[in-house]
Amino acid sequence: MFKSMLVILSAMICFSAQAAVILQYHHVSASTPAITSVTPEQFREQMQYLAENDFIVKPLSQVVDAIKREQAIPDKTVVITFDDGYRSIAKTAHPILKEYGFPYTLFVSIEPIKAKYREMMSWEELVALSKEGAEIANHSWAHEHLIRKLEGETQEQWLARVEENILKTEREISLATGQNHKMLAYPYGEYNQAIESMLTRNGFIGLGQQSGAAGHYSSLTALPRFPVAGVYADLTSLKVKLHSLNMPVLSQNMSDPELKSGHWRPELKVTLDINDIYPHQMMCYIQGQGAKAPLWLSGNEFSIRAELDLPVGRSRYNCTVPSKSRTGYYWFSQAWVRSASE
């Protein structure tokens, strides 16, 4: 009986640890804004590290399918994604990825590419990349702040407009490339519960810009990604993230990132499976307010709350805790967004 319990516990730990680290890039260039860029030298160094250290680079669609089906995700699985469709991806990143045989996903907005905005790849380049195996996915029609309502717009009108935006973008991608992955990367990482429900109704998954490893405990309408740019482009810090684990979140009291009027210090309560973690070693970080130890309310539920009002714009609560059985940290991030109009 005791042996059987150990086998079950071991299986639970293995399941909770299974995760894919999804990397988010924008520019691969030395001449674009550092805050959204990695240099070609940094990008090559990162891809070389993945290749030399036995990481498994998988297409995003395969990882999403594994999460949906609750199938095993191999250790050291990584997904490479790019947002926006900048020309440096076609000219610089693609040849390096092709050299290493790494698949990747490109999230594009239609209008900036068709309008031939500065630094954007051409529509012909996008189609050519799709023919060479790149996954082309949805980033909204014109890279809008999706949660923002137009003046005088009702909730119903706003949601109908956002829904048509996403569906129209998906139709355009499908028409040009034959691909129809129904994967949306939220522009600016902004979304709310109404958008999540709309995506689910239409069979889409959603990806944010909050940190963490994606796995069976993740929401399919709020999959985390690690941004790789600026101060986060250094390989030393990236190595830690590449070994991150999917925080075993069983429930939380709130998940809607959009803060309501006056509630600028949200209290987040999270219940975990704690079999493979050291609760007393968990540390949380409130963006702009520094590190803070969580308050443990019971054996497996903790609470974290900002001490100051979260500012207008986007914020995060990030929590990490070491694994008992594996190398790496369990990583959890909750995104918040406070509108300027509130």
Side-chain angles (χ1 to χ4, degrees):
M1 178 67 175
F2 180 69
K3 184 176 181 181
S4 298
M5 289 177 65
L6 286 177
V7 170
I8 293 171
L9 178 60
S10 176
M12 289 174 63
I13 291 172
C14 180
F15 181 79
S16 69
Q18 289 179 0
V21 172
I22 306 175
L23 303 179
Q24 177 206 17
Y25 293 91
H26 286 85
H27 300 276
V28 180
S29 171
S31 60
T32 49
I35 194 171
T36 55
S37 303
V38 295
T39 67
E41 293 75 20
Q42 286 174 320
F43 188 72
R44 176 172 288 281
E45 180 186 35
Q46 292 162 6
M47 296 306 104
Q48 184 176 343
Y49 178 81
L50 295 178
E52 291 180 349
N53 288 274
D54 302 319
F55 284 87
I56 303 169
V57 181
K58 283 183 168 289
L60 177 60
S61 61
Q62 288 187 15
V63 168
V64 167
D65 191 58
I67 294 173
K68 285 181 176 178
R69 297 173 182 269
E70 297 190 351
Q71 295 174 338
I73 299 174
D75 286 346
K76 300 175 76 172
T77 294
V78 172
V79 174
I80 298 168
T81 70
F82 299 91
D83 284 7
D84 301 336
Y86 291 109
R87 177 161 284 117
S88 65
I89 308 309
K91 298 298 184 184
T92 305
H94 177 76
I96 295 173
L97 291 163
K98 189 174 181 180
E99 178 183 335
Y100 285 102
F102 289 165
Y104 65 95
T105 299
L106 184 58
F107 289 101
V108 299
S109 297
I110 307 301
E111 183 179 276
I113 292 179
K114 288 202 167 185
K116 300 181 180 180
Y117 290 178
R118 187 179 175 212
E119 304 289 349
M120 304 305 294
M121 70 176 68
S122 69
W123 193 247
E124 292 72 25
E125 286 175 311
L126 176 71
V127 172
L129 293 181
S130 75
K131 291 179 179 178
E132 290 198 47
E135 290 187 339
I136 312 299
N138 201 316
H139 202 34
S140 82
W141 186 262
H143 205 278
E144 298 90 345
H145 291 269
L146 296 179
I147 68 171
R148 295 183 182 176
K149 294 183 178 68
L150 302 178
E151 186 175 354
E153 196 171 41
T154 66
Q155 175 78 4
E156 292 73 20
Q157 290 169 335
W158 159 77
L159 189 57
R161 176 174 57 81
V162 171
E163 183 172 27
E164 177 54 27
N165 179 313
I166 302 309
L167 295 179
K168 182 172 68 170
T169 303
E170 195 72 17
R171 288 194 297 268
E172 190 76 13
I173 291 171
S174 179
L175 183 65
T177 68
Q179 299 186 34
N180 185 211
H181 297 293
K182 290 192 171 184
M183 301 185 300
L184 171 70
Y186 300 116
Y188 311 101
E190 295 179 355
Y191 62 97
N192 60 22
Q193 204 163 57
I195 293 176
E196 289 184 272
S197 297
M198 180 272 290
L199 291 188
T200 299
R201 186 170 67 251
N202 285 284
F204 278 73
I205 65 101
L207 295 97
Q209 294 182 16
Q210 74 277 15
S211 302
H216 301 290
Y217 290 98
S218 301
S219 166
L220 281 166
T221 51
L223 292 174
R225 294 187 292 171
F226 282 108
V228 188
V231 296
Y232 302 114
D234 177 70
L235 182 58
T236 301
S237 64
L238 184 60
K239 287 177 183 179
V240 176
K241 297 171 183 176
L242 289 170
H243 290 279
S244 62
L245 307 171
N246 185 211
M247 186 75 83
V249 175
L250 300 178
S251 66
Q252 57 189 88
N253 67 321
M254 56 192 303
S255 60
D256 189 345
E258 189 174 20
L259 299 176
K260 306 306 179 186
S261 182
H263 297 278
W264 310 139
R265 304 181 190 184
E267 181 182 16
L268 183 64
K269 297 178 181 179
V270 182
T271 303
L272 302 177
D273 176 346
I274 60 171
N275 284 307
D276 191 44
I277 72 170
Y278 295 103
H280 64 284
Q281 293 188 34
M282 176 177 285
M283 184 56 66
C284 296
Y285 301 84
I286 297 174
Q287 190 170 337
Q289 299 182 32
K292 183 176 181 179
L295 173 64
W296 286 93
L297 305 174
S298 65
N300 66 339
E301 183 187 29
F302 73 87
S303 169
I304 186 72
R305 184 175 188 175
E307 295 181 0
L308 304 172
D309 289 355
L310 296 180
V312 169
R314 298 176 293 277
S315 301
R316 304 282 186 271
Y317 289 177
N318 293 328
C319 297
T320 60
V321 63
S323 166
K324 290 180 181 178
S325 64
R326 301 159 61 92
T327 299
Y329 285 79
Y330 287 101
W331 202 300
F332 169 77
S333 180
Q334 172 63 47
W336 306 111
V337 59
R338 175 181 170 181
S339 299
S341 59
E342 292 286 353

PDB file of all heavy atoms in Angstrom, residues 4 20 27 31 42 128 155 158-159 184 188 198 243 317:
ATOM      1  N   SER A   4       2.490   1.733  -3.319  1.00  0.00           N
ATOM      2  CA  SER A   4       1.537   2.230  -4.318  1.00  0.00           C
ATOM      3  C   SER A   4       1.340   3.736  -4.174  1.00  0.00           C
ATOM      4  O   SER A   4       1.249   4.467  -5.158  1.00  0.00           O
ATOM      5  CB  SER A   4       0.192   1.520  -4.170  1.00  0.00           C
ATOM      6  OG  SER A   4       0.341   0.143  -4.403  1.00  0.00           O
ATOM      7  N   ALA A  20       6.399  23.367 -20.941  1.00  0.00           N
ATOM      8  CA  ALA A  20       7.140  23.923 -22.064  1.00  0.00           C
ATOM      9  C   ALA A  20       7.428  25.381 -21.771  1.00  0.00           C
ATOM     10  O   ALA A  20       6.551  26.106 -21.289  1.00  0.00           O
ATOM     11  CB  ALA A  20       6.342  23.793 -23.357  1.00  0.00           C
ATOM     12  N   HIS A  27      12.060  41.915 -32.270  1.00  0.00           N
ATOM     13  CA  HIS A  27      13.126  42.175 -33.241  1.00  0.00           C
ATOM     14  C   HIS A  27      14.347  41.293 -32.968  1.00  0.00           C
ATOM     15  O   HIS A  27      14.675  41.025 -31.810  1.00  0.00           O
ATOM     16  CB  HIS A  27      13.609  43.625 -33.138  1.00  0.00           C
ATOM     17  CG  HIS A  27      12.575  44.669 -33.400  1.00  0.00           C
ATOM     18  ND1 HIS A  27      12.245  45.105 -34.660  1.00  0.00           N
ATOM     19  CD2 HIS A  27      11.807  45.391 -32.538  1.00  0.00           C
ATOM     20  CE1 HIS A  27      11.318  46.053 -34.564  1.00  0.00           C
ATOM     21  NE2 HIS A  27      11.041  46.242 -33.288  1.00  0.00           N
ATOM     22  N   SER A  31      19.858  47.357 -34.363  1.00  0.00           N
ATOM     23  CA  SER A  31      19.527  48.751 -34.657  1.00  0.00           C
ATOM     24  C   SER A  31      18.098  49.126 -34.296  1.00  0.00           C
ATOM     25  O   SER A  31      17.648  50.224 -34.620  1.00  0.00           O
ATOM     26  CB  SER A  31      19.757  49.034 -36.150  1.00  0.00           C
ATOM     27  OG  SER A  31      18.945  48.185 -36.952  1.00  0.00           O
ATOM     28  N   GLN A  42      23.263  37.695 -29.947  1.00  0.00           N
ATOM     29  CA  GLN A  42      22.575  37.118 -28.795  1.00  0.00           C
ATOM     30  C   GLN A  42      21.630  35.985 -29.226  1.00  0.00           C
ATOM     31  O   GLN A  42      21.570  34.939 -28.575  1.00  0.00           O
ATOM     32  CB  GLN A  42      21.771  38.195 -28.069  1.00  0.00           C
ATOM     33  CG  GLN A  42      22.602  39.167 -27.273  1.00  0.00           C
ATOM     34  CD  GLN A  42      21.759  40.298 -26.704  1.00  0.00           C
ATOM     35  OE1 GLN A  42      20.856  40.823 -27.362  1.00  0.00           O
ATOM     36  NE2 GLN A  42      22.054  40.696 -25.474  1.00  0.00           N
ATOM     37  N   ALA A 128       6.080  33.199 -47.824  1.00  0.00           N
ATOM     38  CA  ALA A 128       7.259  32.357 -48.089  1.00  0.00           C
ATOM     39  C   ALA A 128       7.715  31.644 -46.824  1.00  0.00           C
ATOM     40  O   ALA A 128       8.064  30.461 -46.860  1.00  0.00           O
ATOM     41  CB  ALA A 128       8.395  33.214 -48.656  1.00  0.00           C
ATOM     42  N   GLN A 155     -20.842  47.292 -23.898  1.00  0.00           N
ATOM     43  CA  GLN A 155     -20.099  46.056 -23.682  1.00  0.00           C
ATOM     44  C   GLN A 155     -20.343  45.071 -24.816  1.00  0.00           C
ATOM     45  O   GLN A 155     -19.415  44.446 -25.325  1.00  0.00           O
ATOM     46  CB  GLN A 155     -20.511  45.442 -22.336  1.00  0.00           C
ATOM     47  CG  GLN A 155     -19.905  44.086 -22.026  1.00  0.00           C
ATOM     48  CD  GLN A 155     -18.467  44.161 -21.541  1.00  0.00           C
ATOM     49  OE1 GLN A 155     -17.919  45.260 -21.363  1.00  0.00           O
ATOM     50  NE2 GLN A 155     -17.855  43.026 -21.312  1.00  0.00           N
ATOM     51  N   TRP A 158     -18.686  46.325 -28.073  1.00  0.00           N
ATOM     52  CA  TRP A 158     -17.222  46.152 -27.976  1.00  0.00           C
ATOM     53  C   TRP A 158     -16.821  44.701 -28.214  1.00  0.00           C
ATOM     54  O   TRP A 158     -15.918  44.420 -29.017  1.00  0.00           O
ATOM     55  CB  TRP A 158     -16.739  46.607 -26.593  1.00  0.00           C
ATOM     56  CG  TRP A 158     -15.414  46.025 -26.214  1.00  0.00           C
ATOM     57  CD1 TRP A 158     -14.184  46.410 -26.663  1.00  0.00           C
ATOM     58  CD2 TRP A 158     -15.191  44.907 -25.344  1.00  0.00           C
ATOM     59  NE1 TRP A 158     -13.202  45.617 -26.120  1.00  0.00           N
ATOM     60  CE2 TRP A 158     -13.797  44.688 -25.310  1.00  0.00           C
ATOM     61  CE3 TRP A 158     -16.028  44.093 -24.593  1.00  0.00           C
ATOM     62  CZ2 TRP A 158     -13.231  43.659 -24.543  1.00  0.00           C
ATOM     63  CZ3 TRP A 158     -15.469  43.083 -23.832  1.00  0.00           C
ATOM     64  CH2 TRP A 158     -14.083  42.873 -23.813  1.00  0.00           C
ATOM     65  N   LEU A 159     -17.479  43.769 -27.533  1.00  0.00           N
ATOM     66  CA  LEU A 159     -17.096  42.365 -27.659  1.00  0.00           C
ATOM     67  C   LEU A 159     -17.361  41.837 -29.067  1.00  0.00           C
ATOM     68  O   LEU A 159     -16.554  41.060 -29.610  1.00  0.00           O
ATOM     69  CB  LEU A 159     -17.847  41.524 -26.629  1.00  0.00           C
ATOM     70  CG  LEU A 159     -17.388  40.073 -26.489  1.00  0.00           C
ATOM     71  CD1 LEU A 159     -15.900  39.999 -26.136  1.00  0.00           C
ATOM     72  CD2 LEU A 159     -18.217  39.340 -25.425  1.00  0.00           C
ATOM     73  N   LEU A 184      -4.147  32.935 -30.578  1.00  0.00           N
ATOM     74  CA  LEU A 184      -4.052  34.390 -30.522  1.00  0.00           C
ATOM     75  C   LEU A 184      -3.048  34.818 -29.470  1.00  0.00           C
ATOM     76  O   LEU A 184      -3.160  34.433 -28.308  1.00  0.00           O
ATOM     77  CB  LEU A 184      -5.421  34.999 -30.178  1.00  0.00           C
ATOM     78  CG  LEU A 184      -5.431  36.500 -29.864  1.00  0.00           C
ATOM     79  CD1 LEU A 184      -5.165  37.320 -31.127  1.00  0.00           C
ATOM     80  CD2 LEU A 184      -6.754  36.922 -29.224  1.00  0.00           C
ATOM     81  N   TYR A 188       0.129  43.565 -26.720  1.00  0.00           N
ATOM     82  CA  TYR A 188       0.530  44.190 -25.461  1.00  0.00           C
ATOM     83  C   TYR A 188       0.293  43.265 -24.257  1.00  0.00           C
ATOM     84  O   TYR A 188       0.476  43.687 -23.116  1.00  0.00           O
ATOM     85  CB  TYR A 188      -0.216  45.513 -25.225  1.00  0.00           C
ATOM     86  CG  TYR A 188      -0.196  46.446 -26.400  1.00  0.00           C
ATOM     87  CD1 TYR A 188      -1.302  46.554 -27.245  1.00  0.00           C
ATOM     88  CD2 TYR A 188       0.936  47.210 -26.687  1.00  0.00           C
ATOM     89  CE1 TYR A 188      -1.282  47.401 -28.344  1.00  0.00           C
ATOM     90  CE2 TYR A 188       0.962  48.065 -27.790  1.00  0.00           C
ATOM     91  CZ  TYR A 188      -0.151  48.146 -28.615  1.00  0.00           C
ATOM     92  OH  TYR A 188      -0.110  48.987 -29.702  1.00  0.00           O
ATOM     93  N   MET A 198     -14.846  34.573 -25.046  1.00  0.00           N
ATOM     94  CA  MET A 198     -15.098  34.647 -26.485  1.00  0.00           C
ATOM     95  C   MET A 198     -14.159  33.729 -27.256  1.00  0.00           C
ATOM     96  O   MET A 198     -14.560  33.038 -28.196  1.00  0.00           O
ATOM     97  CB  MET A 198     -14.962  36.095 -26.962  1.00  0.00           C
ATOM     98  CG  MET A 198     -15.198  36.302 -28.456  1.00  0.00           C
ATOM     99  SD  MET A 198     -13.688  36.090 -29.444  1.00  0.00           S
ATOM    100  CE  MET A 198     -12.761  37.545 -28.949  1.00  0.00           C
ATOM    101  N   HIS A 243      14.751  26.448 -17.542  1.00  0.00           N
ATOM    102  CA  HIS A 243      14.551  25.282 -16.668  1.00  0.00           C
ATOM    103  C   HIS A 243      13.352  25.466 -15.740  1.00  0.00           C
ATOM    104  O   HIS A 243      13.191  24.719 -14.783  1.00  0.00           O
ATOM    105  CB  HIS A 243      15.816  25.027 -15.839  1.00  0.00           C
ATOM    106  CG  HIS A 243      16.976  24.529 -16.652  1.00  0.00           C
ATOM    107  ND1 HIS A 243      17.115  23.214 -17.021  1.00  0.00           N
ATOM    108  CD2 HIS A 243      18.044  25.191 -17.180  1.00  0.00           C
ATOM    109  CE1 HIS A 243      18.229  23.064 -17.734  1.00  0.00           C
ATOM    110  NE2 HIS A 243      18.810  24.252 -17.840  1.00  0.00           N
ATOM    111  N   TYR A 317       2.100  40.211 -10.853  1.00  0.00           N
ATOM    112  CA  TYR A 317       2.549  39.526  -9.648  1.00  0.00           C
ATOM    113  C   TYR A 317       3.282  38.283 -10.137  1.00  0.00           C
ATOM    114  O   TYR A 317       2.699  37.446 -10.839  1.00  0.00           O
ATOM    115  CB  TYR A 317       1.372  39.068  -8.775  1.00  0.00           C
ATOM    116  CG  TYR A 317       0.583  40.114  -8.043  1.00  0.00           C
ATOM    117  CD1 TYR A 317      -0.520  39.739  -7.289  1.00  0.00           C
ATOM    118  CD2 TYR A 317       0.919  41.467  -8.072  1.00  0.00           C
ATOM    119  CE1 TYR A 317      -1.283  40.679  -6.586  1.00  0.00           C
ATOM    120  CE2 TYR A 317       0.175  42.413  -7.377  1.00  0.00           C
ATOM    121  CZ  TYR A 317      -0.933  42.014  -6.638  1.00  0.00           C
ATOM    122  OH  TYR A 317      -1.688  42.936  -5.951  1.00  0.00           O
TER     123      TYR A 317
END
